[in-house]
């Protein structure tokens, strides 16, 4: 085997190793990745019930309701185009308020509602999650 063949063999082995590592990484992330949707995106998208996603937008004014069990809260998330009903069982962050930005991690259930596992609220008056700010600005630009 000549030196040229040895180098070619090493290059092919390195390429195969990189491809194998990429496939393993993609396989591992398949179950962990959660895509971000605004309510209007979620209304258009064909998201299968049970798929883990992130939902972001503003909490609609007057929509937050505590259910009689005392730990479940329901509210509406809006991006000023569409709204999505959300149910969350647990303690809400202190900064969670009507009219504020939030991101929820959870799953879509049959009927288009969203069941959140985690709620992330803004941390000051001017902060808005970058994904939500981008979607809200995009919607405002389209509506003008």
């Amino acid at each position: 085997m000549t030196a040229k063949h040895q180098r070619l063999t090493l290059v092919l082995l390195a390429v195969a190793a990189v491809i194998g590592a990429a496939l393993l990484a993609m396989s591992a992330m398949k179950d962990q990745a959660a895509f971000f949707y605004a309510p209007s995106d979620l209304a258009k998208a064909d998201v299968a019930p049970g798929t883990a996603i992130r939902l972001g937008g503003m909490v609609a004014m007057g929509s937050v309701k505590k259910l009689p069990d005392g730990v479940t809260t329901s509210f509406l998330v809006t991006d000023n185009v569409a709204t999505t009903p959300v149910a969350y069982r647990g303690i809400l962050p202190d900064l969670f308020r009507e009219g504020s930005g939030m991101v929820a991690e959870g799953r879509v259930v049959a009927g288009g509602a969203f069941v959140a596992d985690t709620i992330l609220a803004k941390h000051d008056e001017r902060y808005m999650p970058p994904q939500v700010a981008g979607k809200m600005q995009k919607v405002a630009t389209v509506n003008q």
Side-chain angles (χ1 to χ4, degrees), residues 12-86:
L12 291 175
L13 286 175
V15 168
V18 169
I19 291 172
L23 290 174
L24 286 173
M26 289 173 39
S27 174
M29 289 183 61
K30 185 178 178 182
D31 295 335
Q32 301 293 325
F35 296 101
F36 179 83
Y37 291 92
S40 60
D41 295 335
L42 188 60
K44 294 177 198 169
D46 186 24
V47 178
T51 304
I53 63 168
R54 286 182 171 192
L55 175 69
M58 305 296 283
V59 179
M61 297 299 289
S63 67
V64 177
K65 295 181 178 97
K66 275 273 198 205
L67 298 184
D69 65 1
V71 292
T72 304
T73 305
S74 68
F75 54 94
L76 297 175
V77 176
T78 184
D79 62 356
N80 297 330
V81 174
T83 59
T84 301
V86 176

Side-chain angles (χ1 to χ4, degrees), residues 5-6 8 20 30 39 48 56 70 80 84 102-103 106 113 121 123 125 134 143:
H5 287 119
Q6 288 177 344
L8 182 61
K30 185 178 178 182
N80 297 330
T84 301
M102 56 74 63
V103 174
H123 59 76
E125 292 180 10
N143 289 337

